[in-house]
Amino acid sequence: MKKDKHLKLHPWKIIEEGFHPTKVTSSESLFSIGNGYMGQRANFEESFSGETFRGSYIAGVYYPDRTRVGWWKIGYPDFFAKVLNSPNWIGIDIQINNQDFDLNRCLKIEKFKRVLNLKEGFYLRSFEAVLKDKTRVFIESKRFLSMARKDIGMIKYKIKPLNKKCLIKLNSFIDGDVSNQDSNWNEQFWKHEEKETKGNFAALKSETLKTFYKVCTFMHNQFFLNDKILKETPKIKIKKNKISHTFSYSVDSNKTLSIVKCGGYVSSVRYSSINFNKTYKLSKEALDLGFDFLLNEQKNQWEKIWENSDVTINGDIKAQQAIRYNIFQLNQTYTGEDEKLNIGPKGFTGEKYGGGTYWDTEAFCFPFYLATKGSLAARNLLRYRYNHLDKAIENAKKLGFSNGAALYPMVTMNGEECHNEWEITFEEIHRNGAIAYAIFYYENFTNDKSYIPKYGLEVLIGISRFWEQRVSFSKEKNMYVILGVTGPNEYENNVNNNWYTNYIAKWCLNYSIIQVQNVREKYKTDFQRIKKKTGLSEIEINRWKEIYENIYLPYDSKNEVFLQQDGFLDKELRSVDEIPINERPINQNWSWDKILRSPYIKQADLLQGFYFFEDDFTLEELKRNFEFYEPLCVHESSLSASLHSILASKLDKKDKAYQFFLNASRLDLDDYNKEVMEGLHITSMGGAWMAISKGFGGMKIKNKVFSFNPKLPSKWTSLSFKVNFDGSILTVKINKKETTFELTGDKSINLICSGKKINVQPKKNIK
Ligand code: BGC
């Protein structure tokens, strides 16, 4: 593995040293910041003529971009929802002695450094630059998106001439002329309506076309010489959709001119009405409190986040840095407060995947939010799907299903399907199972008994109705089969009896039957309501049972393994090691036809089932299936490595588990796939956290009892992680000799550690 030397190892920071013009777009992704409601790539404030990918996004603000496909198939969605690149509010252009400042055009750039401070939640960039006329300046910019005040971000931008007095012109602006890189038809996404400027404040009111989200982008500037505020008012320039405040000052050598800029968005996602006045007040209040005050507030917010979620690893700084980076980025993407929002595979760090919601949320992120933010955050994620149930029913109806059968979309923003490749849109139906599984996981993990009778059962009924109609009866096998599907392994399409899909369908039917009984017995009023609403009948419950008991699960008795799908053994089963290195990744080197005919697996497919349903199989079965399928897996989805790490830990394959963990957690930092410039792999970061807790920690929850079976990688001297259980934080501390627990709150808990029952009492001295 080639190491990126320009990134330094540090337990709490991501540090880049030296200016690398070819890595600007990659670093823009890596140093991205967000607060769950908005996020932005780490673009320079000043204009840059080199390669850059500018991006700033508002959670939930999307545009339905008309579908573009070569061959239209009935059932395709009309649009692909895209989170929108939003007006740029960070812009600060600089002129020094009448020369435009551009990092791409300087004579020299020295001491260039970027730091993402994970502990305190801010991003810093500093350097010394020598301009064409030999002027040397020091520039530093500190920026954060406030976790305490979700609409605002703050920048403190300093310029210090180092060898001569300079005339410095600062041009701070907001600019509505932005577009998505991935737009299908180059349509306009925004309509800009009104502009306002008042003193050092300026704002631009815009509306998204078609979806009609209203957004007020604003900036409020303050200027300082050293630490003294400058009272001069800026010159205002309004050009089309851009408002600039320009301010010139003659600055002596070694004096610092700085601008404190408060900016951001007030949007109709968060407010029923938006107006300039509200925006003005909000930003004025922030400036009155001052940059340092707000930064301190930010640190406190992050301290609280870390108190509930930190993972410590001793003996391996690479792993330590990586897992904190993953936790940091997950928190920047979704804070768990809002049931309208979710977690896109790239968060706010890029445009691939459109910012929509995938099964990634339930399968890879849900356990993280549940364990580090508590049941409310997890309930919000479940409610997101509950709120989309009607759309999932509509979606299934479009494909020919009836009677309230629900097919959740492969990718969505508002509940409607956005995906438009038939082999995935129509066939990658296992996603429905992950949504039901999250309900089961939540029910098992928390003491919240009300979710299923209030909401969850309706979702389970919709999903089970879908499976009921999606299976067919094979006379030849005398069993139920599921034809024409794509499993998690997208390198096989339109296969019959994908084991994972059949297994999860079977599990869903059984779990729904159990929950119908549970609600019927214990929540009579809810049951009556649901029965009336859904028309649930005994006949269909009996049919679910009949299918559950008779669904076909392909098995090969010679190798004693389950079969990924019908006919899998007809393939020439050669291990991934036989693929020449220069042909990897195969998805960038092989024709699609070659990939489809090959035995190679994109990501955990059958093994995904062994992860979800671990108690259904013996260790022996896991070993046989892992050793059969893992050598065929090319891990070309970011979601693959973490799952394999967990299973390898379970099998005591310590080195493999460790290597897979590094691949999962450092995927972006080490840019294994040479694509980090497109954005970070946010959802796979949830998988990295699972590799820690479920893999190395061996955490399991069965019948509401936690158990741990620690498997520390040999390099690590200790590991600790936290789990929020019913409002109390359980800290699990593992070292080479023992595992100990600390508990907050006032209730003790019973758990099992390496097979032994123990009772953990809350510690008095921890809150
Ligand atoms: C994976 C899917 C995943 C999607 C978004 C694809 O490459 O195969 O499983 O849902 O990326 O992360």
Side-chain angles (χ1 to χ4, degrees):
M1 177 186 44
K2 214 167 136 271
K3 272 181 226 139
D4 266 336
K5 290 273 182 338
H6 71 296
L7 289 184
K8 305 286 165 230
L9 292 174
H10 187 286
W12 278 108
K13 288 177 182 166
I14 308 301
I15 303 168
E16 177 185 30
E17 281 177 3
F19 182 62
H20 307 273
T22 56
K23 290 193 186 292
V24 169
T25 47
S26 302
S27 298
E28 284 172 341
S29 298
L30 284 169
F31 290 80
S32 289
I33 52 175
N35 66 2
Y37 284 83
M38 59 176 158
Q40 50 179 236
R41 293 172 53 81
N43 304 123
F44 300 149
E45 284 84 359
E46 67 281 355
S47 294
F48 180 63
S49 59
E51 204 185 320
T52 171
F53 167 12
R54 292 204 159 262
S56 181
Y57 308 92
I58 309 169
V61 174
Y62 71 92
Y63 178 83
D65 204 12
R66 269 187 305 134
T67 302
R68 187 171 193 146
V69 286
W71 181 15
W72 189 270
K73 311 262 185 317
I74 294 177
Y76 271 173
D78 297 330
F79 67 87
F80 189 92
K82 286 180 176 153
V83 66
L84 288 190
N85 210 340
S86 302
N88 168 12
W89 63 263
I90 64 164
I92 303 174
D93 278 340
I94 307 164
Q95 266 189 3
I96 300 172
N97 293 335
N98 296 316
Q99 308 157 88
D100 288 334
F101 181 81
D102 175 353
L103 267 172
N104 204 32
R105 301 228 158 93
C106 293
L107 277 186
K108 264 192 213 161
I109 299 163
E110 290 172 352
K111 301 182 192 163
F112 184 93
K113 195 169 181 178
R114 297 187 198 238
V115 179
L116 189 62
N117 189 316
L118 310 176
K119 192 171 193 174
E120 302 181 347
F122 67 87
Y123 161 57
L124 178 103
R125 176 175 59 114
S126 63
F127 55 87
E128 278 183 26
V130 180
L131 282 80
K132 296 240 160 76
D133 71 348
K134 306 274 165 57
T135 308
R136 180 179 276 268
V137 290
F138 166 76
I139 293 185
E140 182 191 274
S141 143
K142 208 182 246 188
R143 188 158 100 207
F144 62 91
L145 300 186
S146 174
M147 276 285 179
R149 298 156 198 262
K150 303 291 187 192
D151 313 302
I152 68 162
M154 297 292 291
I155 305 173
K156 189 175 205 169
Y157 193 95
K158 296 179 183 174
I159 311 177
K160 179 156 82 169
L162 295 174
N163 59 351
K164 54 171 108 149
K165 184 173 181 160
C166 292
L167 178 68
I168 299 180
K169 196 163 144 193
L170 287 171
N171 179 23
S172 175
F173 63 88
I174 48 180
D175 185 4
D177 280 330
V178 287
S179 58
N180 274 54
Q181 276 199 340
D182 64 345
S183 140
N184 281 343
W185 307 89
N186 286 331
E187 282 174 8
Q188 284 295 315
F189 293 162
W190 290 99
K191 183 169 89 192
H192 301 293
E193 292 173 331
E194 288 169 74
K195 300 172 195 85
E196 159 113 354
T197 150
K198 175 171 161 191
N200 286 352
F201 168 84
L204 170 71
K205 246 195 218 171
S206 323
E207 192 180 66
T208 57
L209 291 161
K210 295 190 186 168
T211 40
F212 311 110
Y213 288 104
K214 291 197 179 298
V215 171
C216 185
T217 308
F218 63 92
M219 67 168 177
H220 211 144
N221 300 304
Q222 267 178 344
F223 302 92
F224 297 83
L225 187 62
N226 285 345
D227 285 331
K228 219 173 125 238
I229 192 156
L230 298 168
K231 293 278 188 244
E232 287 89 332
T233 45
K235 273 208 199 102
I236 295 161
K237 208 160 97 196
I238 301 183
K239 208 173 128 197
K240 248 181 97 197
N241 301 316
K242 185 169 175 180
I243 313 173
S244 315
H245 283 182
T246 312
F247 180 91
S248 301
Y249 214 80
S250 188
V251 184
D252 286 332
S253 181
N254 287 315
K255 291 258 159 71
T256 303
L257 180 69
S258 40
I259 166 168
V260 170
K261 181 170 186 175
C262 170
Y265 311 105
V266 169
S267 84
S268 56
V269 172
R270 279 176 43 76
Y271 299 98
S272 52
S273 80
I274 60 165
N275 58 56
F276 289 128
N277 218 356
K278 180 186 277 170
T279 316
Y280 177 85
K281 273 204 199 136
L282 209 107
S283 53
K284 168 124 189 359
E285 190 193 14
L287 284 185
D288 287 348
L289 291 166
F291 184 90
D292 293 340
F293 180 92
L294 293 184
L295 182 59
N296 211 29
E297 198 176 66
Q298 177 81 342
K299 290 177 190 170
N300 293 337
Q301 291 286 319
W302 274 100
E303 196 179 318
K304 279 190 216 144
I305 292 173
W306 288 115
E307 244 172 52
N308 294 337
S309 62
D310 193 20
V311 169
T312 64
I313 297 171
N314 285 314
D316 187 355
I317 191 158
K318 256 177 118 173
Q320 174 67 85
Q321 180 186 44
I323 191 63
R324 284 203 174 119
Y325 181 65
N326 289 196
I327 295 171
F328 181 76
Q329 289 297 354
L330 284 163
N331 274 284
Q332 294 208 110
T333 308
Y334 183 68
T335 58
E337 290 154 65
D338 198 329
E339 65 182 48
K340 289 195 299 300
L341 305 180
N342 211 284
I343 308 131
K346 300 239 166 259
F348 305 115
T349 69
E351 290 168 14
K352 201 173 167 195
Y353 300 114
T357 306
Y358 285 67
W359 73 301
D360 303 30
T361 294
E362 284 76 15
F364 292 85
C365 301
F366 189 78
F368 168 80
Y369 287 100
L370 177 53
T372 65
K373 297 209 168 289
S375 53
L376 213 59
R379 194 175 160 116
N380 279 338
L381 286 173
L382 295 183
R383 288 267 310 202
Y384 176 92
R385 295 294 193 177
Y386 174 77
N387 296 339
H388 288 177
L389 178 59
D390 287 347
K391 295 270 189 208
I393 292 174
E394 232 173 73
N395 184 35
K397 215 168 171 180
K398 274 189 207 156
L399 305 187
F401 296 84
S402 58
N403 187 34
L407 175 61
Y408 277 92
M410 188 64 201
V411 48
T412 190
M413 200 65 97
N414 66 346
E416 286 173 61
E417 178 63 272
C418 288
H419 205 284
N420 55 46
E421 286 167 83
W422 65 269
E423 61 277 26
I424 292 176
T425 317
F426 307 146
E427 297 208 329
E428 206 175 327
I429 52 177
H430 67 81
R431 60 194 185 242
N432 246 10
I435 289 160
Y437 187 84
I439 298 175
F440 157 77
Y441 193 77
Y442 178 84
E443 185 236 341
N444 226 328
F445 200 107
T446 70
N447 272 332
D448 179 355
K449 295 198 170 46
S450 69
Y451 187 75
I452 291 186
K454 285 262 163 307
Y455 310 104
L457 186 61
E458 284 177 57
V459 172
L460 294 175
I461 292 171
I463 288 176
S464 286
R465 284 176 165 170
F466 173 79
W467 292 125
E468 177 198 334
Q469 294 171 41
R470 187 61 169 76
V471 299
S472 17
F473 187 73
S474 157
K475 277 199 188 138
E476 195 251 338
K477 292 192 169 65
N478 200 24
M479 295 197 95
Y480 290 95
V481 292
I482 306 186
L483 308 178
V485 304
T486 296
N489 168 27
E490 292 172 348
Y491 289 178
E492 298 268 7
N493 302 144
N494 203 34
V495 300
N496 293 338
N497 294 312
N498 168 259
W499 180 88
Y500 171 71
T501 307
N502 287 21
Y503 200 88
I504 205 160
K506 174 182 163 85
W507 174 86
C508 282
L509 291 168
N510 187 41
Y511 184 59
S512 301
I513 296 169
I514 295 171
Q515 288 310 328
V516 165
Q517 273 159 5
N518 165 42
V519 178
R520 185 195 278 132
E521 277 163 27
K522 299 192 193 130
Y523 305 92
K524 294 202 166 60
T525 325
D526 283 310
F527 190 72
Q528 286 316 317
R529 174 183 52 80
I530 294 168
K531 209 169 157 206
K532 199 162 157 220
K533 185 170 170 193
T534 61
L536 183 71
S537 73
E538 284 314 308
I539 299 171
E540 65 182 319
I541 299 169
N542 287 336
R543 195 169 139 73
W544 295 352
K545 193 159 176 273
E546 147 84 10
I547 298 168
Y548 158 74
E549 284 168 355
N550 294 292
I551 202 159
Y552 172 65
L553 296 167
Y555 184 73
D556 172 48
S557 39
K558 192 164 143 246
N559 294 291
E560 295 182 292
V561 294
F562 292 105
L563 281 185
Q564 187 176 274
Q565 73 241 8
D566 284 356
F568 189 70
L569 290 181
D570 293 338
K571 299 205 165 211
E572 210 180 314
L573 299 181
R574 289 156 165 253
S575 131
V576 166
D577 299 340
E578 294 186 32
I579 307 173
I581 222 61
N582 61 351
E583 294 181 18
R584 302 279 307 272
I586 58 172
N587 68 12
Q588 286 173 25
N589 291 288
W590 286 9
S591 72
W592 191 238
D593 163 66
K594 188 169 173 180
I595 291 177
L596 289 177
R597 284 185 289 107
S598 83
Y600 299 122
I601 304 171
K602 183 182 181 189
Q603 67 200 84
D605 186 297
L606 189 133
L607 294 177
Q608 181 78 37
F610 271 78
Y611 158 73
F612 272 160
F613 308 110
E614 56 178 333
D615 288 332
D616 294 1
F617 307 100
T618 62
L619 260 189
E620 255 318 296
E621 282 175 307
L622 170 62
K623 186 165 181 287
R624 277 200 304 273
N625 283 277
F626 185 92
E627 288 174 358
F628 188 84
Y629 286 103
E630 193 279 320
L632 299 172
C633 187
V634 283
H635 305 288
E636 288 179 12
S637 156
S638 64
L639 303 176
S640 193
S642 57
L643 240 276
H644 283 86
S645 173
I646 297 170
L647 299 181
S649 277
K650 221 179 152 187
L651 292 171
D652 277 322
K653 295 177 186 290
K654 282 195 173 182
D655 292 345
K656 256 190 190 295
Y658 175 68
Q659 195 49 51
F660 279 133
F661 168 72
L662 277 193
N663 289 356
S665 61
R666 294 195 66 89
L667 174 68
D668 292 319
L669 289 172
D670 292 340
D671 197 10
Y672 292 124
N673 294 342
K674 302 283 162 262
E675 51 163 29
V676 73
M677 67 287 233
E678 292 176 355
L680 303 175
H681 296 86
I682 299 292
T683 46
S684 85
M685 295 183 179
W689 182 86
M690 297 192 319
I692 289 283
S693 55
K694 300 183 177 208
F696 304 129
M699 179 174 87
K700 227 164 86 171
I701 308 108
K702 197 175 170 191
N703 302 328
K704 297 197 184 297
V705 179
F706 273 98
S707 62
F708 297 88
N709 199 8
K711 305 271 170 82
L712 212 57
S714 38
K715 212 174 162 184
W716 298 3
T717 51
S718 69
L719 162 71
S720 81
F721 60 93
K722 295 170 184 254
V723 186
N724 183 320
F725 180 66
D726 206 14
S728 302
I729 311 289
L730 177 74
T731 306
V732 184
K733 297 180 165 185
I734 306 164
N735 64 30
K736 298 250 180 232
K737 282 203 232 118
E738 55 175 8
T739 300
T740 54
F741 299 91
E742 264 180 19
L743 187 65
T744 64
D746 44 28
K747 284 173 279 179
S748 66
I749 76 170
N750 291 319
L751 50 81
I752 301 171
C753 184
S754 304
K756 264 199 246 144
K757 280 190 183 165
I758 53 174
N759 173 268
V760 184
Q761 293 290 335
K763 218 173 163 181
K764 292 286 173 294
N765 59 353
I766 51 177
K767 275 179 275 156

